Amino acid sequence: MKLLFEISRKGHKSALIPEADTPVYELPEAFKRSTPVRLPELSETEISRHYTKLMKRTFGVNDGFYPLGSCTMKYNPRINEDMASLPGFKDLHPLQPEHTVQGALEVFHETGKALCEIAGMDAFTFQPAAGAHGEFAGVMLIKAYHEARGDLQRTKIIVPDAAHGTNPASATMAGFTVVNIPSNAAGCVDVDKLREAVGSDTAGLMLTNPNTLGLFDPNILEITKIVHEAGGLNYYDGANLNAIMGITRPGDMGFDVIHINLHKTFSTPHGGGGPGAGPVGCKSFLADYLPVYQVVNGGYGFRFDNPAASIGSTKAFYGHFLVIVRALTYIKTLGAEGIRNVAVHAVLNANYMRNKLSEYYDVAYDRLCMHEFVLTLQGIKDKYGVSALDVAKELLDNGIHPPTMYFPLIVHEALMIEPTETESKETMDEAIAVFKKIFELILSDAGSLHSMPLSTPVRRLDEVGAARNPRLRFGV
Ligand SMILES: *Cc1c(COP(=O)(O)O)cnc(C)c1O
């Protein structure tokens, strides 16, 4: 497919802006470009067709099964879009006076209340733009807390080896040293290793529970207690709440800070760069450090307030407001019972697929899982030379988006599968049949799998080349 720059033809136009009927302000020479800006020249029809073509080549949750573990590619109900498209929401300006945006402020307030209830927290900020951004803001709260107490030697954050890569990255960016602790044979936190790791230099622990293997840590209360007793705080990576919401709460497990990916659990379309939202919740003793623009109900209506010892601004203005509208719509449509049902069915679906697929593939840590599970193809690779990548590519030929690959790092040849609660038994059965067909192909003609996929717009990509020598600019 050609790029917009390649189909550009001199003189084609789509701007409908009339000629200026006011005096034109001439910029001083020093501020002017020396060469004209290079933009494609196209008519509106050409642009529209270009994007429609691109759209047909992409793959989203509305095209087919998308079991991308940890990313929660669930169906996004259309009513969320309807609400986010209401002019009263979508046409707001961030600098409007508070009394003209009371409804929008109420959306923040209501969503905050709902998330506090779901997560077991006391306050939320909506400023962070995504999960990793929320982690950074959350870890900064932990830092502010220790600093305010003069507890300055707490420079270390403990992160288990099964953690999402963003956890150590966020802790490092916030100025902490990361201490990695290994998982035990059951795939959970090695409690003895944690005990050895904590001390007077521990600022906190960052943990996902269920972890990235889809396993709920049976020692969770002991884990959070060990960290608290050492004087540290517990951070919950709540990017994905699909397995637990309405059933248990991070706040009740001993966590002090959490971020939630609204674009995962609370059904905002994601992939391809967002926008998402990574609101951060905390217990009341941390609320004074939250970022600016907390919405409070001030008696005469809602208004913005800056917490007393705020860590400051983590983003321009108030966060990705329309993502928050979608999340609130989703929460209100489901209600408490519906939220709980999401978790029940997410877990049921994952266990159904784990059970069926274990007939053909090895499941890493094969026991009751939560919303996702991880296959390991190491055995198949050793015996037949077929890798997790080969299987993922053949799934593409069958209209299935590949699972998350080669993550978590502690599982070799990993395929991490998260069906989500929005898939029917029929869809999962079709996917299971495809996995079975691929398994039979491994037995009968393993070599053929190295050249898959056959039916996609592009075949095998040079992924190493793309990582080592990225060409990020057209024509260079
Ligand atoms: C997706 C995810 C993140 C990061 O979220 P982004 O919105 O992509 O920044 C962090 N932790 C876990 C467990 C995740 O699944």
Side-chain angles (χ1 to χ4, degrees), residues 44-89:
E44 194 171 324
T45 327
E46 287 163 333
I47 295 174
S48 171
R49 289 198 179 136
H50 176 79
Y51 284 106
T52 305
K53 253 188 223 159
L54 273 180
M55 189 191 78
K56 286 182 183 162
R57 290 194 158 201
T58 188
F59 188 96
V61 277
N62 292 338
D63 294 294
F65 192 44
Y66 203 140
L68 191 65
S70 202
C71 296
T72 315
M73 304 305 286
K74 60 164 88 173
Y75 174 71
N76 307 294
R78 286 299 161 265
I79 187 170
N80 299 354
E81 292 308 308
D82 289 351
M83 294 307 111
S85 313
L86 290 175
F89 288 141

CSV table of all heavy atoms in Angstrom, one decimal, residues 44-89:
chain,number,residue,atom,x,y,z
A,44,GLU,N,-10.1,15.4,-0.5
A,44,GLU,CA,-10.7,14.7,0.7
A,44,GLU,C,-11.1,13.3,0.3
A,44,GLU,O,-10.9,12.4,1.1
A,44,GLU,CB,-12.0,15.5,1.0
A,44,GLU,CG,-12.6,15.1,2.4
A,44,GLU,CD,-13.7,16.0,2.9
A,44,GLU,OE1,-13.6,17.2,2.6
A,44,GLU,OE2,-14.6,15.5,3.5
A,45,THR,N,-11.5,13.0,-0.9
A,45,THR,CA,-11.8,11.6,-1.3
A,45,THR,C,-10.6,10.8,-1.2
A,45,THR,O,-10.7,9.6,-0.7
A,45,THR,CB,-12.3,11.6,-2.8
A,45,THR,OG1,-13.0,12.8,-3.1
A,45,THR,CG2,-13.1,10.4,-3.1
A,46,GLU,N,-9.5,11.3,-1.7
A,46,GLU,CA,-8.3,10.5,-1.6
A,46,GLU,C,-7.9,10.1,-0.2
A,46,GLU,O,-7.5,9.0,0.1
A,46,GLU,CB,-7.1,11.2,-2.3
A,46,GLU,CG,-7.3,11.2,-3.8
A,46,GLU,CD,-6.4,12.3,-4.5
A,46,GLU,OE1,-6.1,13.3,-3.9
A,46,GLU,OE2,-6.1,12.1,-5.7
A,47,ILE,N,-8.0,11.1,0.7
A,47,ILE,CA,-7.6,10.8,2.1
A,47,ILE,C,-8.6,9.8,2.7
A,47,ILE,O,-8.2,8.9,3.3
A,47,ILE,CB,-7.7,12.2,2.9
A,47,ILE,CG1,-6.7,13.1,2.4
A,47,ILE,CG2,-7.5,11.9,4.4
A,47,ILE,CD1,-6.8,14.5,3.1
A,48,SER,N,-9.9,10.0,2.4
A,48,SER,CA,-10.9,9.1,3.0
A,48,SER,C,-10.6,7.7,2.5
A,48,SER,O,-10.7,6.7,3.3
A,48,SER,CB,-12.3,9.6,2.5
A,48,SER,OG,-13.2,8.7,2.9
A,49,ARG,N,-10.4,7.5,1.2
A,49,ARG,CA,-10.1,6.2,0.7
A,49,ARG,C,-8.8,5.6,1.3
A,49,ARG,O,-8.8,4.4,1.6
A,49,ARG,CB,-10.0,6.2,-0.9
A,49,ARG,CG,-11.3,6.5,-1.5
A,49,ARG,CD,-11.4,6.1,-2.9
A,49,ARG,NE,-12.7,6.4,-3.4
A,49,ARG,CZ,-13.0,7.0,-4.5
A,49,ARG,NH1,-12.0,7.3,-5.4
A,49,ARG,NH2,-14.2,7.2,-4.9
A,50,HIS,N,-7.8,6.4,1.4
A,50,HIS,CA,-6.6,5.9,2.0
A,50,HIS,C,-6.8,5.3,3.4
A,50,HIS,O,-6.4,4.2,3.7
A,50,HIS,CB,-5.6,7.1,2.1
A,50,HIS,CG,-4.3,6.7,2.8
A,50,HIS,ND1,-3.3,6.0,2.1
A,50,HIS,CD2,-3.9,6.9,4.1
A,50,HIS,CE1,-2.3,5.8,3.0
A,50,HIS,NE2,-2.6,6.3,4.2
A,51,TYR,N,-7.6,6.0,4.2
A,51,TYR,CA,-7.8,5.5,5.6
A,51,TYR,C,-8.7,4.3,5.6
A,51,TYR,O,-8.6,3.5,6.5
A,51,TYR,CB,-8.2,6.7,6.5
A,51,TYR,CG,-7.1,7.6,6.9
A,51,TYR,CD1,-6.9,8.8,6.3
A,51,TYR,CD2,-6.1,7.1,7.7
A,51,TYR,CE1,-5.8,9.6,6.6
A,51,TYR,CE2,-4.9,7.8,8.0
A,51,TYR,CZ,-4.8,9.1,7.5
A,51,TYR,OH,-3.7,9.8,7.8
A,52,THR,N,-9.7,4.3,4.7
A,52,THR,CA,-10.5,3.2,4.6
A,52,THR,C,-9.7,1.9,4.3
A,52,THR,O,-9.9,0.8,4.8
A,52,THR,CB,-11.7,3.4,3.6
A,52,THR,OG1,-12.3,4.6,4.0
A,52,THR,CG2,-12.7,2.3,3.7
A,53,LYS,N,-8.8,2.1,3.3
A,53,LYS,CA,-7.9,0.9,2.9
A,53,LYS,C,-7.1,0.5,4.1
A,53,LYS,O,-7.0,-0.7,4.4
A,53,LYS,CB,-6.9,1.4,1.9
A,53,LYS,CG,-7.3,0.9,0.5
A,53,LYS,CD,-6.1,1.2,-0.5
A,53,LYS,CE,-6.8,1.7,-1.8
A,53,LYS,NZ,-5.8,2.5,-2.6
A,54,LEU,N,-6.6,1.4,4.9
A,54,LEU,CA,-5.8,1.1,6.0
A,54,LEU,C,-6.6,0.3,7.0
A,54,LEU,O,-6.2,-0.7,7.6
A,54,LEU,CB,-5.2,2.3,6.7
A,54,LEU,CG,-3.9,2.9,6.2
A,54,LEU,CD1,-3.6,4.1,7.1
A,54,LEU,CD2,-2.8,1.9,6.4
A,55,MET,N,-7.9,0.8,7.2
A,55,MET,CA,-8.8,0.2,8.2
A,55,MET,C,-9.0,-1.2,7.9
A,55,MET,O,-9.1,-2.1,8.7
A,55,MET,CB,-10.1,1.0,8.2
A,55,MET,CG,-11.0,0.6,9.3
A,55,MET,SD,-12.6,1.4,9.0
A,55,MET,CE,-13.3,0.3,7.7
A,56,LYS,N,-9.2,-1.5,6.5
A,56,LYS,CA,-9.5,-2.9,6.1
A,56,LYS,C,-8.3,-3.8,6.4
A,56,LYS,O,-8.4,-5.0,6.4
A,56,LYS,CB,-9.8,-2.9,4.7
A,56,LYS,CG,-11.2,-2.4,4.4
A,56,LYS,CD,-11.6,-2.5,2.9
A,56,LYS,CE,-12.9,-1.8,2.7
A,56,LYS,NZ,-13.1,-1.5,1.2
A,57,ARG,N,-7.1,-3.3,6.5
A,57,ARG,CA,-5.9,-4.1,6.7
A,57,ARG,C,-5.6,-4.3,8.2
A,57,ARG,O,-4.7,-5.1,8.5
A,57,ARG,CB,-4.7,-3.4,6.0
A,57,ARG,CG,-4.8,-3.4,4.6
A,57,ARG,CD,-3.5,-3.1,4.0
A,57,ARG,NE,-3.4,-3.6,2.6
A,57,ARG,CZ,-2.3,-3.9,2.0
A,57,ARG,NH1,-1.2,-3.6,2.6
A,57,ARG,NH2,-2.3,-4.3,0.8
A,58,THR,N,-6.2,-3.6,9.0
A,58,THR,CA,-5.9,-3.7,10.4
A,58,THR,C,-6.8,-4.8,11.0
A,58,THR,O,-7.6,-5.4,10.4
A,58,THR,CB,-6.1,-2.4,11.1
A,58,THR,OG1,-5.5,-2.5,12.5
A,58,THR,CG2,-7.5,-1.9,11.2
A,59,PHE,N,-6.5,-5.1,12.3
A,59,PHE,CA,-7.2,-6.2,13.0
A,59,PHE,C,-7.6,-5.7,14.3
A,59,PHE,O,-6.7,-5.3,15.1
A,59,PHE,CB,-6.4,-7.5,13.1
A,59,PHE,CG,-7.2,-8.6,13.6
A,59,PHE,CD1,-7.7,-9.5,12.7
A,59,PHE,CD2,-7.3,-8.8,15.0
A,59,PHE,CE1,-8.4,-10.6,13.2
A,59,PHE,CE2,-8.1,-9.9,15.5
A,59,PHE,CZ,-8.6,-10.8,14.6
A,60,GLY,N,-8.9,-5.6,14.6
A,60,GLY,CA,-9.3,-5.1,15.9
A,60,GLY,C,-10.3,-6.1,16.6
A,60,GLY,O,-10.6,-7.1,16.0
A,61,VAL,N,-10.7,-5.8,17.8
A,61,VAL,CA,-11.6,-6.7,18.5
A,61,VAL,C,-12.9,-6.9,17.7
A,61,VAL,O,-13.6,-7.9,17.9
A,61,VAL,CB,-12.0,-6.2,19.9
A,61,VAL,CG1,-11.0,-6.6,20.9
A,61,VAL,CG2,-12.3,-4.7,19.9
A,62,ASN,N,-13.3,-6.0,16.8
A,62,ASN,CA,-14.5,-6.2,16.0
A,62,ASN,C,-14.2,-7.1,14.8
A,62,ASN,O,-15.2,-7.4,14.0
A,62,ASN,CB,-15.1,-4.8,15.6
A,62,ASN,CG,-15.6,-4.1,16.8
A,62,ASN,OD1,-15.9,-4.7,17.8
A,62,ASN,ND2,-15.7,-2.8,16.7
A,63,ASP,N,-13.0,-7.4,14.5
A,63,ASP,CA,-12.7,-8.3,13.4
A,63,ASP,C,-12.7,-9.8,13.8
A,63,ASP,O,-13.0,-10.7,13.0
A,63,ASP,CB,-11.3,-8.0,12.8
A,63,ASP,CG,-11.3,-6.6,12.2
A,63,ASP,OD1,-12.1,-6.4,11.2
A,63,ASP,OD2,-10.7,-5.7,12.7
A,64,GLY,N,-12.3,-10.1,15.0
A,64,GLY,CA,-12.2,-11.5,15.4
A,64,GLY,C,-11.6,-11.6,16.8
A,64,GLY,O,-11.3,-10.6,17.5
A,65,PHE,N,-11.3,-12.9,17.1
A,65,PHE,CA,-10.8,-13.2,18.4
A,65,PHE,C,-9.4,-12.6,18.6
A,65,PHE,O,-8.6,-12.6,17.7
A,65,PHE,CB,-10.7,-14.8,18.5
A,65,PHE,CG,-10.4,-15.3,19.9
A,65,PHE,CD1,-11.1,-14.8,21.0
A,65,PHE,CD2,-9.5,-16.3,20.1
A,65,PHE,CE1,-10.8,-15.3,22.3
A,65,PHE,CE2,-9.3,-16.9,21.3
A,65,PHE,CZ,-9.9,-16.4,22.4
A,66,TYR,N,-9.2,-12.0,19.8
A,66,TYR,CA,-8.0,-11.2,20.0
A,66,TYR,C,-7.5,-11.4,21.4
A,66,TYR,O,-7.6,-10.6,22.3
A,66,TYR,CB,-8.5,-9.7,19.9
A,66,TYR,CG,-7.4,-8.7,19.5
A,66,TYR,CD1,-7.7,-7.6,18.7
A,66,TYR,CD2,-6.2,-8.7,20.1
A,66,TYR,CE1,-6.8,-6.7,18.3
A,66,TYR,CE2,-5.2,-7.7,19.8
A,66,TYR,CZ,-5.5,-6.7,18.9
A,66,TYR,OH,-4.6,-5.8,18.6
A,67,PRO,N,-7.0,-12.7,21.6
A,67,PRO,CA,-6.6,-13.1,23.0
A,67,PRO,C,-5.3,-12.6,23.5
A,67,PRO,O,-4.4,-13.3,24.0
A,67,PRO,CB,-6.6,-14.6,22.9
A,67,PRO,CG,-6.1,-14.9,21.5
A,67,PRO,CD,-6.6,-13.7,20.7
A,68,LEU,N,-5.0,-11.3,23.4
A,68,LEU,CA,-3.7,-10.7,23.7
A,68,LEU,C,-3.6,-10.5,25.2
A,68,LEU,O,-3.9,-9.5,25.8
A,68,LEU,CB,-3.6,-9.3,23.0
A,68,LEU,CG,-2.3,-8.6,22.9
A,68,LEU,CD1,-1.3,-9.4,22.1
A,68,LEU,CD2,-2.4,-7.2,22.3
A,69,GLY,N,-3.0,-11.5,25.8
A,69,GLY,CA,-2.9,-11.6,27.3
A,69,GLY,C,-2.3,-10.3,27.9
A,69,GLY,O,-1.5,-9.6,27.3
A,70,SER,N,-2.8,-9.9,29.0
A,70,SER,CA,-2.4,-8.7,29.8
A,70,SER,C,-3.0,-7.4,29.2
A,70,SER,O,-3.0,-6.4,29.8
A,70,SER,CB,-0.9,-8.6,29.9
A,70,SER,OG,-0.5,-7.8,31.0
A,71,CYS,N,-3.4,-7.5,27.9
A,71,CYS,CA,-3.9,-6.3,27.3
A,71,CYS,C,-5.4,-6.1,27.3
A,71,CYS,O,-6.0,-5.1,27.0
A,71,CYS,CB,-3.4,-6.2,25.8
A,71,CYS,SG,-1.6,-6.1,25.8
A,72,THR,N,-6.1,-7.2,27.6
A,72,THR,CA,-7.6,-7.2,27.8
A,72,THR,C,-8.3,-6.6,26.6
A,72,THR,O,-8.9,-5.5,26.7
A,72,THR,CB,-8.0,-6.5,29.1
A,72,THR,OG1,-7.2,-7.0,30.1
A,72,THR,CG2,-9.5,-6.8,29.4
A,73,MET,N,-8.2,-7.2,25.4
A,73,MET,CA,-8.9,-6.7,24.3
A,73,MET,C,-10.3,-7.2,24.3
A,73,MET,O,-10.7,-8.2,23.6
A,73,MET,CB,-8.1,-7.2,23.0
A,73,MET,CG,-6.7,-6.8,23.0
A,73,MET,SD,-6.3,-5.1,23.2
A,73,MET,CE,-6.8,-4.4,21.6
A,74,LYS,N,-11.1,-6.6,25.1
A,74,LYS,CA,-12.5,-7.0,25.2
A,74,LYS,C,-13.4,-6.1,24.3
A,74,LYS,O,-12.9,-5.0,23.8
A,74,LYS,CB,-13.0,-6.9,26.6
A,74,LYS,CG,-13.0,-5.6,27.3
A,74,LYS,CD,-13.8,-5.5,28.5
A,74,LYS,CE,-13.1,-5.9,29.8
A,74,LYS,NZ,-13.9,-5.7,31.0
A,75,TYR,N,-14.6,-6.5,24.1
A,75,TYR,CA,-15.6,-5.8,23.3
A,75,TYR,C,-15.9,-4.4,24.0
A,75,TYR,O,-16.0,-4.4,25.2
A,75,TYR,CB,-16.8,-6.6,23.1
A,75,TYR,CG,-17.9,-5.8,22.4
A,75,TYR,CD1,-17.8,-5.4,21.0
A,75,TYR,CD2,-19.0,-5.3,23.1
A,75,TYR,CE1,-18.8,-4.7,20.4
A,75,TYR,CE2,-20.0,-4.6,22.5
A,75,TYR,CZ,-19.9,-4.3,21.2
A,75,TYR,OH,-20.9,-3.5,20.5
A,76,ASN,N,-15.9,-3.4,23.2
A,76,ASN,CA,-16.2,-2.1,23.8
A,76,ASN,C,-17.6,-1.7,23.4
A,76,ASN,O,-17.9,-1.3,22.3
A,76,ASN,CB,-15.3,-1.0,23.3
A,76,ASN,CG,-13.8,-1.4,23.5
A,76,ASN,OD1,-13.3,-1.5,24.6
A,76,ASN,ND2,-13.1,-1.7,22.4
A,77,PRO,N,-18.6,-1.7,24.4
A,77,PRO,CA,-20.0,-1.5,24.0
A,77,PRO,C,-20.2,-0.1,23.3
A,77,PRO,O,-19.5,0.9,23.7
A,77,PRO,CB,-20.7,-1.5,25.4
A,77,PRO,CG,-19.8,-2.3,26.3
A,77,PRO,CD,-18.4,-2.0,25.8
A,78,ARG,N,-21.0,-0.1,22.3
A,78,ARG,CA,-21.2,1.1,21.5
A,78,ARG,C,-21.8,2.3,22.3
A,78,ARG,O,-21.6,3.5,22.0
A,78,ARG,CB,-22.1,0.8,20.3
A,78,ARG,CG,-21.4,0.1,19.2
A,78,ARG,CD,-20.2,0.9,18.7
A,78,ARG,NE,-19.2,0.1,18.0
A,78,ARG,CZ,-18.1,-0.5,18.5
A,78,ARG,NH1,-17.9,-0.3,19.8
A,78,ARG,NH2,-17.3,-1.2,17.9
A,79,ILE,N,-22.5,1.9,23.4
A,79,ILE,CA,-23.1,3.0,24.2
A,79,ILE,C,-22.1,3.9,24.8
A,79,ILE,O,-22.3,5.1,25.0
A,79,ILE,CB,-24.1,2.4,25.2
A,79,ILE,CG1,-24.8,3.6,25.9
A,79,ILE,CG2,-23.4,1.6,26.2
A,79,ILE,CD1,-26.0,3.2,26.8
A,80,ASN,N,-20.9,3.3,25.1
A,80,ASN,CA,-19.8,4.1,25.6
A,80,ASN,C,-19.4,5.2,24.6
A,80,ASN,O,-19.2,6.4,25.0
A,80,ASN,CB,-18.6,3.3,25.9
A,80,ASN,CG,-18.8,2.2,26.9
A,80,ASN,OD1,-19.8,2.1,27.5
A,80,ASN,ND2,-17.8,1.3,27.0
A,81,GLU,N,-19.4,4.8,23.4
A,81,GLU,CA,-19.0,5.8,22.3
A,81,GLU,C,-20.1,6.9,22.2
A,81,GLU,O,-19.8,8.1,22.0
A,81,GLU,CB,-18.9,5.1,21.0
A,81,GLU,CG,-17.7,4.2,20.9
A,81,GLU,CD,-16.4,4.9,21.3
A,81,GLU,OE1,-16.0,5.9,20.8
A,81,GLU,OE2,-15.7,4.3,22.2
A,82,ASP,N,-21.4,6.5,22.3
A,82,ASP,CA,-22.5,7.4,22.2
A,82,ASP,C,-22.3,8.5,23.3
A,82,ASP,O,-22.5,9.7,23.0
A,82,ASP,CB,-23.8,6.7,22.4
A,82,ASP,CG,-24.2,5.8,21.2
A,82,ASP,OD1,-23.4,6.0,20.1
A,82,ASP,OD2,-25.1,5.1,21.2
A,83,MET,N,-22.0,8.0,24.5
A,83,MET,CA,-21.9,9.0,25.6
A,83,MET,C,-20.7,9.9,25.4
A,83,MET,O,-20.8,11.1,25.7
A,83,MET,CB,-21.8,8.2,26.9
A,83,MET,CG,-23.1,7.4,27.3
A,83,MET,SD,-24.6,8.4,27.3
A,83,MET,CE,-25.4,7.7,25.9
A,84,ALA,N,-19.6,9.3,25.0
A,84,ALA,CA,-18.4,10.1,24.8
A,84,ALA,C,-18.6,11.1,23.6
A,84,ALA,O,-17.8,12.0,23.5
A,84,ALA,CB,-17.2,9.2,24.6
A,85,SER,N,-19.6,10.8,22.8
A,85,SER,CA,-19.8,11.7,21.6
A,85,SER,C,-20.8,12.8,21.9
A,85,SER,O,-21.1,13.7,21.0
A,85,SER,CB,-20.3,11.0,20.4
A,85,SER,OG,-19.5,9.8,20.2
A,86,LEU,N,-21.4,12.8,23.1
A,86,LEU,CA,-22.4,13.9,23.4
A,86,LEU,C,-21.7,15.3,23.3
A,86,LEU,O,-20.6,15.4,23.9
A,86,LEU,CB,-23.0,13.7,24.8
A,86,LEU,CG,-23.9,12.5,24.9
A,86,LEU,CD1,-24.3,12.3,26.4
A,86,LEU,CD2,-25.1,12.6,24.0
A,87,PRO,N,-22.3,16.2,22.6
A,87,PRO,CA,-21.6,17.5,22.4
A,87,PRO,C,-21.2,18.1,23.8
A,87,PRO,O,-20.2,18.8,23.9
A,87,PRO,CB,-22.6,18.4,21.7
A,87,PRO,CG,-23.5,17.4,21.1
A,87,PRO,CD,-23.5,16.1,21.9
A,88,GLY,N,-22.1,17.9,24.8
A,88,GLY,CA,-21.8,18.5,26.1
A,88,GLY,C,-20.5,18.0,26.8
A,88,GLY,O,-20.0,18.6,27.7
A,89,PHE,N,-20.1,16.8,26.3
A,89,PHE,CA,-18.8,16.3,26.8
A,89,PHE,C,-17.7,16.6,25.8
A,89,PHE,O,-16.6,17.0,26.1
A,89,PHE,CB,-18.9,14.8,27.0
A,89,PHE,CG,-19.7,14.3,28.1
A,89,PHE,CD1,-20.6,13.2,28.1
A,89,PHE,CD2,-19.7,15.0,29.3
A,89,PHE,CE1,-21.3,12.8,29.2
A,89,PHE,CE2,-20.4,14.7,30.4
A,89,PHE,CZ,-21.2,13.5,30.4
